Amino acid sequence: MSVLSSPFAKKPNTVTQLMLWVVLATLPGVFALVFFFGVGVIVNLFIACSTALITESIILKLRQRPVAPILWDGSAFVTAWLLALALPPLLPWWMTVLGTSFAIVFAKHVYGGLGNNIFNPAMVGYVLLLISFPLEMTTWLPPQELAAHPVGVVETVGIIFSGQGSNTATIDMLKQGVDGYTMATPLDHIKTQLAQGYRLPEAETAPIIKGLSGVGWQWVNLGFLVGGLVLMFKKVIGWQIPIGVLLGMGLISLPLFFANSDEYLFPMFHGFAGATMLGAFFIATDPVTASTTPKGRWIFGLGIGAITVLIRTFGGYPDAIAFAVLLMNMAVPMIDYYTKPRTYGHARNAKESS
Amino acid sequence: MEATRANDTGQTVGGSLMERSNFASEIPIFEIPGGVHPEEHKTRSNQADIRTLSLPDELIINIKGQAGNRSIPVVEVGDTVLKGQMIAECDGIFSSYQHAPTSGTIVAIEDRTIAHPSGLSDQCIIIQPDGKDKWCQLTPVRDFDQLSREEMLATIFESGIVGLGGASFPAHIKLKRESGIHTLIINAAECEPYITCDDRLLREHSREVLKGAEVISKLYSDIDIVVGIEDNKPSAIDALVSARKELGFSNIKIAVVPTKYPSGGEKQLIQIITGKEVPHGKLPADLGLVMHNVGTCFAIYETFYLGKPLIQRLVTLTGDACKEPGNYWVPFGTPVSHIINQTHAESPKRIIMGGPMMGYELPSTEVGIVKATNCIIMSAEGELGFDNPTLPCIRCGACMDACPASLLPQQLYWHAQADEFDKAEEYDLFDCIECGACAYVCPSHIPLVQYYRYAKSSIKNNRIEKTKAEKARQRHEARQERLERVKREKAERHRKAAEARKKAAQKAGKKDEKKAAVQAALERVKAKKKAQENKDDNKPATGEEK
Ligand code: SF4
Ligand code: SF4
């Protein structure tokens, strides 16, 4: 006779529900992305998610695990979903497939599957692609309102799958199509300009830097912020990590900005540029790879924020959330060890003996 | 003071349907970390008055029906007993007396399935009721002012009173310490969903409970009494207030605490009421506190005022399958099958003894209820439990946020499932109170508490094994030591003999080395001869030396 163990009370959440919430909460950001950067975003989501589900099924079969229940936990889907949101909208399809399957196979299952991986799988996939295909990975479409040649659905699909749009527009032609502006993201643009000796106010005169952090990007970030806050209030994610990330960014970027505003970006720009909000609320909060103690979550978040700004400012990559997350992932075991909360009835400063 | 709004520090998520008391706590209360708000299900059983069940055909009294040692039967098969008559005596002070819950015949003393998740059997005294329910001679001790402290404690001990909050720890042990105790806390924070026996007891017997508390307070020279009660029991709070007024017990304060599981845990309630934590390895008494449950107070009242030993308790019978839910006086040993019958339960899916958070599923209904049984849940299909498969831990930390002991349940689980028990201990495994709050919130539906119980019992077993091995090792070493000693002594004797010879040689004052050598050889031969003559075992060896 199988006898269950207490507690018997109905439990409030399931992993599947949490994952579903995460996906739902990205929707405002997804809409903004699609609005500004076209349907390529959706195509990417589709490619990445189907790749993830197929890869996960194959691996589970190979590992002789039950396929359906584990697929149903939604974790592979969410990994792919978040990865796709970080990819450029017109990335060739096979790169998306490569990045996603690499994330599922190497970042997740090689470690033993859900719960055992050390590194955030989506970010592992992202970094693989970024290192292997730096050009493609930093080539963004211009926001639709700036594009001389808005890209339609058919062209998007054509470019992604064959590098060739229906209007015989290739990605290279598109690149030329925008009045002399590169297709870089605002962060990328500023990085290049600064490297070429321009001062920040000059770099910021470019049309794509309109508003808080560049055309489109501020809305995309706002979208992810709104969704992230919903997750926070629904208690799907803790608040320490996302707040920590934003705070960590502020702590580094604010003094820099005050020291030299000709060279260092305004903190708000960091907050609403690139993958900041997506990273802070959806990526850094991946529970499996984040620190798990209350104090550790703070340190983890602050670390990601700080490292992101440092890499963006002094490093070689324009956006750096992925690197920051992976670096902090490495520090998690140590953070967790030293931030063990004080157990009821134990002395305040008690460290575990030995 | 009564009119002001209750001190509302806790949220009431998931419990919005329950009534909340507006009574303001009379002492400031503190918050505890963690905790959860499971659906309450209390109105199902707290509406009806307390009732009694008809007597079953037999009572199955488990002699290990309380914490501590087994009791020792003092009756024999065939004996007739009266209600309240002692049938098993304690085995040491960490044990309990047991009394016949009704009059009848002892028909067997044998192993029966007992109330335990494993379905184990243990010795039980089986009483067949004669239906007369005839009491033995009762001797109340109403003028307990005349009794010495020791006599009062003995009265409590001999009445078989154990803590009725669920742990069934012998009550007198908690009351042993006399000096330095300044506060008696009456635990009425019945925080398990479904259970309402304390609630109902207070509504109907507040005066008796307070009188029982007063008896306890007589054990100490100067003591405050605080009743800790969750704000989801407004009627019980009202009853307490009026009973206190009626009895003129102005030294009793009522602490209304927000509804949150597990506020009723001893350590948690202490933290809520005093803001202090019981230090690791210490007892509440070390903080000057002693805590008893309302049911225990009632039992103490009955013992002193009416002379009745503890032979029954109030049990919440509930669950969707139970057709007459409520609180019943149930004599110890009443089989659960009888309870199911009497409350007309319809094919219950699962029978849980205790609450849904900490109770356990009974593998058999042919078990007698024990002193610790505060609730029987007869659940209907789909009411309790869930068929969600267990998924891997995603380290979401929900468990940690829910843990009232500020543990890291995810780490405890990680180490427990890997059998890394020393690591689990490093993460303070033994500070886990097994409240189940962590498992309740776990989105991966990992039966966390089960792992902790497994780890704890493995560690305990290992320790027992270790002490056994240690003893064996000591025995072995002692033997080795003895053999070594014998050997050493032998060697010492040889050394001495050799020395003696050397001296003898020097005495002879040989100048010529050759001569000396010859002399020595001669000596050896002599010694050898002598040895053979003496037939001494050791001598041949000596002869060969050098
Ligand atoms: S709640 Fe469950 S899944 Fe989350 S960390 Fe705790 S054990 Fe792991
Ligand atoms: S069962 Fe133990 S680990 Fe889990 S919440 Fe309760 S005290 Fe914490």
Side-chain angles (χ1 to χ4, degrees), chain B residues 47 90 182 402 404 437 475 495:
Chain B
Q47 299 304 308
C90 66
H182 54 71
R475 265 202 311 277
R495 197 181 55 77

PDB file of all heavy atoms in Angstrom, chain B residues 47 90 182 402 404 437 475 495:
ATOM      1  N   GLN B  47     -18.452  23.894  13.984  1.00  0.00           N
ATOM      2  CA  GLN B  47     -19.792  24.445  14.161  1.00  0.00           C
ATOM      3  C   GLN B  47     -20.602  23.682  15.213  1.00  0.00           C
ATOM      4  O   GLN B  47     -21.351  24.270  15.988  1.00  0.00           O
ATOM      5  CB  GLN B  47     -20.537  24.432  12.811  1.00  0.00           C
ATOM      6  CG  GLN B  47     -19.876  25.254  11.740  1.00  0.00           C
ATOM      7  CD  GLN B  47     -19.659  26.711  12.140  1.00  0.00           C
ATOM      8  OE1 GLN B  47     -20.594  27.380  12.571  1.00  0.00           O
ATOM      9  NE2 GLN B  47     -18.426  27.177  12.042  1.00  0.00           N
ATOM     10  N   CYS B  90       3.891   3.204  34.413  1.00  0.00           N
ATOM     11  CA  CYS B  90       4.960   3.809  33.640  1.00  0.00           C
ATOM     12  C   CYS B  90       6.224   2.969  33.742  1.00  0.00           C
ATOM     13  O   CYS B  90       6.397   2.203  34.673  1.00  0.00           O
ATOM     14  CB  CYS B  90       5.223   5.203  34.160  1.00  0.00           C
ATOM     15  SG  CYS B  90       5.865   5.156  35.822  1.00  0.00           S
ATOM     16  N   HIS B 182       8.893  32.180  34.866  1.00  0.00           N
ATOM     17  CA  HIS B 182       8.079  33.367  35.118  1.00  0.00           C
ATOM     18  C   HIS B 182       6.802  33.438  34.291  1.00  0.00           C
ATOM     19  O   HIS B 182       5.916  34.219  34.578  1.00  0.00           O
ATOM     20  CB  HIS B 182       8.898  34.640  34.924  1.00  0.00           C
ATOM     21  CG  HIS B 182       9.575  34.701  33.581  1.00  0.00           C
ATOM     22  ND1 HIS B 182       8.886  34.902  32.421  1.00  0.00           N
ATOM     23  CD2 HIS B 182      10.885  34.557  33.238  1.00  0.00           C
ATOM     24  CE1 HIS B 182       9.741  34.890  31.409  1.00  0.00           C
ATOM     25  NE2 HIS B 182      10.964  34.676  31.873  1.00  0.00           N
ATOM     26  N   ALA B 402       9.490  29.732   3.209  1.00  0.00           N
ATOM     27  CA  ALA B 402       8.388  29.251   4.045  1.00  0.00           C
ATOM     28  C   ALA B 402       8.870  28.688   5.373  1.00  0.00           C
ATOM     29  O   ALA B 402       8.077  28.471   6.278  1.00  0.00           O
ATOM     30  CB  ALA B 402       7.604  28.175   3.297  1.00  0.00           C
ATOM     31  N   PRO B 404       9.923  28.212   8.951  1.00  0.00           N
ATOM     32  CA  PRO B 404       9.880  29.020  10.167  1.00  0.00           C
ATOM     33  C   PRO B 404      11.167  28.927  10.980  1.00  0.00           C
ATOM     34  O   PRO B 404      11.390  29.725  11.878  1.00  0.00           O
ATOM     35  CB  PRO B 404       8.704  28.431  10.944  1.00  0.00           C
ATOM     36  CG  PRO B 404       8.642  27.022  10.491  1.00  0.00           C
ATOM     37  CD  PRO B 404       9.064  27.027   9.054  1.00  0.00           C
ATOM     38  N   ALA B 437       5.962  23.015   6.055  1.00  0.00           N
ATOM     39  CA  ALA B 437       5.685  24.246   5.301  1.00  0.00           C
ATOM     40  C   ALA B 437       6.467  24.262   3.992  1.00  0.00           C
ATOM     41  O   ALA B 437       5.962  24.689   2.962  1.00  0.00           O
ATOM     42  CB  ALA B 437       6.038  25.475   6.140  1.00  0.00           C
ATOM     43  N   ARG B 475      36.412  -2.910  23.664  1.00  0.00           N
ATOM     44  CA  ARG B 475      36.623  -4.271  24.171  1.00  0.00           C
ATOM     45  C   ARG B 475      37.858  -4.882  23.534  1.00  0.00           C
ATOM     46  O   ARG B 475      38.712  -5.452  24.201  1.00  0.00           O
ATOM     47  CB  ARG B 475      35.403  -5.146  23.867  1.00  0.00           C
ATOM     48  CG  ARG B 475      34.412  -5.237  25.006  1.00  0.00           C
ATOM     49  CD  ARG B 475      33.533  -6.489  24.878  1.00  0.00           C
ATOM     50  NE  ARG B 475      32.963  -6.650  23.551  1.00  0.00           N
ATOM     51  CZ  ARG B 475      31.861  -6.030  23.136  1.00  0.00           C
ATOM     52  NH1 ARG B 475      31.223  -5.205  23.932  1.00  0.00           N
ATOM     53  NH2 ARG B 475      31.388  -6.220  21.927  1.00  0.00           N
ATOM     54  N   ARG B 495      64.747  -9.527  30.583  1.00  0.00           N
ATOM     55  CA  ARG B 495      65.769  -8.498  30.646  1.00  0.00           C
ATOM     56  C   ARG B 495      66.469  -8.556  32.006  1.00  0.00           C
ATOM     57  O   ARG B 495      67.693  -8.525  32.114  1.00  0.00           O
ATOM     58  CB  ARG B 495      65.151  -7.126  30.413  1.00  0.00           C
ATOM     59  CG  ARG B 495      66.177  -6.054  30.058  1.00  0.00           C
ATOM     60  CD  ARG B 495      65.495  -4.708  29.868  1.00  0.00           C
ATOM     61  NE  ARG B 495      64.715  -4.338  31.046  1.00  0.00           N
ATOM     62  CZ  ARG B 495      65.265  -3.861  32.176  1.00  0.00           C
ATOM     63  NH1 ARG B 495      66.568  -3.724  32.253  1.00  0.00           N
ATOM     64  NH2 ARG B 495      64.526  -3.541  33.204  1.00  0.00           N
TER      65      ARG B 495
END
